[in-house]
Amino acid sequence: MEFYSVYDQGFARVAACTIPVVLADPAANAATVVAQVRECHDEGVAVAVFPELCLSGYAIDDLHLQDTLLNAVQEAVATMVAASSGLRPVVVVGAPLMHGTRVLNCAVVIQDGRILGVAPKSYLPNYREFYERRYFAPGDDLRGTTIRVAGAEVPLGPDLIFTAADLPELRIHVEICEDLWVPVPPSADAALAGATVLANLSSSPITIARAEDRRLLVRSASFRGNAAYVFAAAGQGESTTDLSWDGQTMVYECGDLLGESERFPDGPRRTVVDVDLDRIRQDRIRQGTHDDNRRTREPSFRTVEFELRAPREDIGLRRHVDRFPFVPDDVDRLALDCYEAYNIQVAGLVQRMRAIGQPKAVIGVSGGLDSTHALIVAVRAMDRLERPRSDVLAFTMPGFATGDISKSLATRLAKALGVTFEEIDIRPAAQQLLTDLGHPAAAGEAAYDVTYENVQAGLRYDYLFRLANQRAGIVVGTGDLSELALGWCTYGVGDQMSHYNVNAGVPKTLVQHLIRWVIDSGQLDGDANAVLGEVLDQEITPELIPTLEGQKAQATEHSVGPYALQDFTLYHVLRRGYRPSKIAFLAWHAWHDVDAGEWPPGYPPEARPAYDLATIRAWLEVFCRRFFASQFKRSALPNGPKVSPGGTMSPRGDWRMPSDAAATAWLADIEAHVPES
């Protein structure tokens, strides 16, 4: 396996192409297609899709029935077959072809000097501006048949799936224009039969808003089919006697837009992207109803094999990889995600409190991101319940290393919000417990081990639970999704436990954006917003170990790794099921160049890091070790709402695994397939 090869990492490069056509001149059009195919070959493309009837032109009306035109198409196909010898791409090109006594609107599939097969258009529009039944016969009844093209007898039918023998996850099905617009497209059954790349050759004329209709159809087909959908429409050169053409091309993958080209182009255009075949496979095996649907429909398809001989060297990656998969880069999308996440949390807490008799909300506040966000969620829940904010009981509990800044932030925020606020100094109790344990720190030694830390973390939650008993409340948890994944929480009577955890489904990298959204959207008043802004500027620290002279303060990310990288890994483990080596490949593309790609709104330029492969590899190993070792903590989680489609750690909601599973295979994959630099 070559680490930097997109094909070895489970991708296939596809191209949706549009070209200027010369009406009724198949030879000229074939030459244009071949020129584009050669460029696709040089770019490492596996599949190149061209528009409907692009060898003849779509808008030539009765000329489709002329022998001269049909013979010229046969010659053009033969020319393309010869020219494709030695070229990698599977070329899908539109052409009118004779079959029996009728002409068919076809997609001819050519690769490396041979015709693999022909897919006829199943559904012919004959309404409004369309008159296709005047020229063509429908091909929906041609399953299992053959056709003679350019001197060769080849498979014909809407039931063909073209499969790469040396890249078996690449399985291509072809349909044409109107086939996508019917209630049950041929591609739907093809996806159930295993096709992963669905190609559509279109000559859909453009009218106002039709481009959005196409996007809707292509996106939904890719989403429902758990597939990639490659769409190429006719453009420049088509007759504008009564219609116009925009040359729209686009590729969607499982509902996500990978790329699109400009519309109304002058000259050829192509959308070239890398389709993630691993993602398609993973989505299908996770969504069992995908295959259940096949069982009830029983689609029958023929397989046509070919050798792709994909490049194994580094040819780059033609797709956007989000640095923060839990955090959108788009301003409006991020605002909507934050609105939904915040309200999911609030609604969850409101329902829980209503269900158990309207208790008070007991919460420990430290001045850090997580407890700050949990506090403002609890405040909003009281507002919705039309209860006084004083029913939120906020406690700050300074320990041996609590800083003045964090304590001040917690105090000021609680007062600005109008909650009930108290301070409980846990240091005397912690000192007594260390003494009872015979711990050397009790005698003043700088023995700052896990026991020293957890004495403080455990006491805080011991107090919170007893305070909840005393004051008719429930403990609202503050620990986030990322901490649960990494086991960065104290088990039992500690921050792993609560009566209800509003943050359990929120990854660390999203928390700051949620707080920023609360500020920007006016959920709270100005005094509280000012304190929230200061909280956002603080480094993430547990404040459990005193800072020695000349040393930096304890930082969480020095122990568990940068949350930016660990959340990246977490998303691809939970949502995609990827092997570590693929996650490392994606992380390198996302993170090695600070100037490449988009950053989420509000992310300060001076705080934008870059990570080389050695760093990514090292923290990936840490993630795997901690993730597997910490399952016992997640198996005993309190209730809390799932927030992100990326997943959650709840054994009841989204993630189940045994507590004694080993990370051996995952670590072996890193060792074998991820370079050290």
Side-chain angles (χ1 to χ4, degrees):
M1 172 182 168
E2 293 294 330
F3 177 78
Y4 291 103
S5 165
V6 290
Y7 283 95
D8 280 354
Q9 293 290 359
F11 296 93
R13 184 160 294 177
V14 303
C17 311
T18 190
I19 59 170
V21 299
V22 181
L23 293 177
D25 190 347
N29 295 326
T32 303
V33 171
V34 168
Q36 288 296 301
V37 172
R38 288 196 175 106
E39 292 186 22
C40 287
H41 172 84
D42 293 341
E43 292 186 65
V45 167
V47 184
V49 180
F50 291 84
E52 179 182 11
L53 295 172
C54 66
L55 286 186
S56 60
Y58 176 86
I60 62 173
D61 301 331
D62 288 350
L63 294 180
H64 282 121
L65 304 178
Q66 293 286 309
D67 282 344
T68 303
L69 185 283
L70 294 171
N71 291 339
V73 166
Q74 291 282 337
E75 293 172 5
V77 171
T79 298
M80 286 193 57
V81 172
S84 71
S85 181
L87 299 181
R88 177 184 309 105
V90 175
V91 183
V92 188
V93 62
L97 299 176
M98 279 290 298
H99 179 66
T101 61
R102 299 294 300 273
V103 178
L104 300 174
N105 182 341
C106 295
V108 184
V109 182
I110 303 168
Q111 195 248 359
D112 192 15
R114 73 182 179 113
I115 301 174
L116 301 180
V118 175
K121 190 171 185 176
S122 292
Y123 302 100
L124 303 177
N126 221 57
Y127 55 87
R128 296 198 298 272
E129 65 264 38
F130 301 107
Y131 297 92
E132 287 192 31
R133 277 187 178 264
R134 178 181 175 94
Y135 324 114
F136 305 119
D140 57 332
D141 62 342
L142 297 176
R143 303 174 75 88
T145 60
T146 62
I147 187 172
R148 191 160 189 83
V149 185
E153 194 75 19
V154 299
L156 167 71
D159 58 337
L160 302 177
I161 294 178
F162 305 93
T163 301
D166 50 349
L167 189 63
E169 298 298 336
L170 177 59
R171 296 188 289 270
I172 308 157
H173 178 265
V174 182
E175 62 187 6
I176 301 175
C177 201
E178 185 76 10
D179 292 344
L180 178 60
W181 295 69
V182 300
V184 183
S187 59
D189 280 334
L192 295 178
T196 54
V197 175
L198 312 175
N200 188 298
L201 297 76
S202 175
S203 281
S204 168
I206 187 63
T207 54
I208 292 172
R210 183 169 287 176
E212 285 305 311
D213 293 341
R214 297 179 194 141
R215 288 192 186 97
L216 175 64
L217 288 169
V218 172
R219 183 184 183 191
S220 62
S222 73
F223 185 82
R224 287 184 293 104
N226 290 316
Y229 203 100
V230 186
F231 179 92
Q236 187 179 12
E238 288 288 355
S239 171
T240 57
T241 300
D242 294 297
L243 299 169
S244 192
W245 318 84
D246 66 335
Q248 184 176 27
T249 72
M250 56 185 151
V251 181
Y252 276 83
E253 174 190 284
C254 301
D256 294 333
L257 178 64
L258 296 187
E260 59 183 337
S261 63
E262 65 177 291
R263 294 166 56 211
F264 305 101
D266 182 13
R269 294 290 187 276
R270 58 183 180 268
T271 297
V272 181
V273 296
D274 292 330
V275 167
D276 191 343
L277 301 174
D278 287 341
R279 176 192 182 183
I280 293 168
R281 175 175 45 78
Q282 276 284 340
D283 279 3
R284 290 179 176 183
I285 65 176
R286 287 161 182 267
Q287 185 185 339
T289 50
H290 178 96
D291 186 61
D292 292 344
N293 193 211
R294 174 202 57 80
R295 291 171 58 248
T296 60
R297 294 188 59 80
E298 298 183 352
S300 176
F301 282 80
R302 291 176 285 168
T303 297
V304 180
E305 282 199 350
F306 62 93
E307 292 286 335
L308 183 64
R309 295 186 296 278
R312 299 303 181 189
E313 69 273 14
D314 181 5
I315 58 172
L317 179 65
R318 296 286 192 92
R319 66 186 282 132
H320 172 70
V321 182
D322 285 318
R323 286 183 174 89
F324 299 94
F326 290 107
V327 183
D329 298 328
D330 178 74
V331 174
D332 293 335
R333 180 71 248 183
L334 177 57
L336 179 59
D337 280 15
C338 289
Y339 161 80
E340 291 182 336
Y342 182 68
N343 281 282
I344 288 168
Q345 294 175 275
V346 172
L349 184 57
V350 165
Q351 173 60 20
R352 177 52 54 93
M353 297 183 79
R354 280 177 175 155
I356 59 176
Q358 299 286 14
K360 295 179 180 178
V362 175
I363 185 168
V365 291
S366 66
L369 288 173
D370 290 345
S371 66
T372 293
H373 184 61
L375 179 60
I376 58 182
V377 167
V379 164
R380 179 57 69 202
M382 288 301 177
D383 292 345
R384 291 197 183 170
L385 289 165
E386 298 182 341
R387 294 173 56 187
R389 290 184 177 182
S390 57
D391 281 354
V392 176
L393 312 182
F395 296 89
T396 189
M397 291 169 279
F400 296 128
T402 299
D404 293 337
I405 294 176
S406 58
K407 180 179 173 182
S408 170
L409 289 171
T411 303
R412 290 162 52 209
L413 180 61
K415 291 181 178 178
L417 293 171
V419 303
T420 300
F421 177 74
E422 295 181 37
E423 177 182 328
I424 297 176
D425 188 346
I426 67 166
R427 286 173 293 185
Q431 181 68 32
Q432 183 61 53
L433 183 50
L434 289 170
T435 300
D436 293 342
L437 293 173
H439 194 279
E445 293 185 30
Y448 303 139
D449 57 9
V450 67
T451 303
Y452 180 88
E453 294 188 44
N454 281 346
V455 160
Q456 299 169 78
L459 275 172
R460 286 182 174 129
Y461 270 78
D462 201 355
Y463 275 107
L464 289 174
F465 275 102
R466 302 297 75 80
L467 287 163
N469 294 155
Q470 182 188 49
R471 307 189 189 189
I474 60 170
V475 177
V476 176
T478 62
D480 63 50
L481 177 68
S482 310
E483 293 175 342
L484 293 170
L486 295 164
W488 192 249
C489 52
T490 302
Y491 184 75
V493 184
D495 55 342
Q496 177 264 351
M497 187 49 62
S498 63
H499 290 111
Y500 190 79
N501 186 357
V502 295
N503 283 346
V506 180
K508 182 76 76 176
T509 49
L510 181 59
V511 174
Q512 62 171 301
H513 297 282
L514 285 169
I515 295 174
R516 192 172 287 113
W517 175 84
V518 168
I519 297 171
D520 294 342
S521 61
Q523 303 295 311
L524 303 170
D525 60 31
D527 290 343
N529 287 339
V531 182
L532 292 178
E534 294 181 52
V535 171
L536 290 172
D537 293 333
Q538 304 307 305
E539 185 175 20
I540 301 170
T541 172
E543 291 193 322
L544 294 172
I545 296 176
T547 302
L548 300 178
E549 186 175 352
Q551 295 184 0
K552 291 186 65 176
Q554 182 186 19
T556 299
E557 292 180 305
H558 292 167
S559 298
V560 300
Y563 278 113
L565 283 182
Q566 303 301 43
D567 275 3
F568 185 94
T569 298
L570 175 61
Y571 177 88
H572 290 290
V573 167
L574 287 185
R575 185 64 183 88
R576 303 283 179 240
Y578 289 158
R579 60 192 180 278
S581 54
K582 178 159 185 166
I583 296 172
F585 172 81
L586 291 170
W588 183 80
H589 277 281
W591 285 101
H592 79 278
D593 183 354
V594 72
D595 295 320
E598 301 295 323
W599 289 83
Y603 207 100
E606 66 276 6
R608 297 176 180 180
Y611 301 108
D612 59 20
L613 186 58
T615 302
I616 291 168
R617 187 185 195 273
W619 289 119
L620 185 58
E621 287 185 348
V622 170
F623 179 94
C624 290
R625 295 181 191 280
R626 295 192 68 98
F627 186 80
F628 276 83
S630 302
Q631 177 59 30
F632 75 97
K633 297 182 180 181
R634 301 189 292 267
S635 294
L637 285 182
N639 296 160
K642 179 177 178 179
V643 171
S644 167
T648 184
M649 294 274 84
S650 170
R652 298 166 299 277
D654 202 26
W655 181 256
R656 297 165 181 83
M657 68 175 277
S659 297
D660 47 8
T664 307
W666 282 257
L667 294 170
D669 179 74
I670 297 173
E671 180 65 28
H673 300 304
V674 182
E676 293 186 4
S677 61

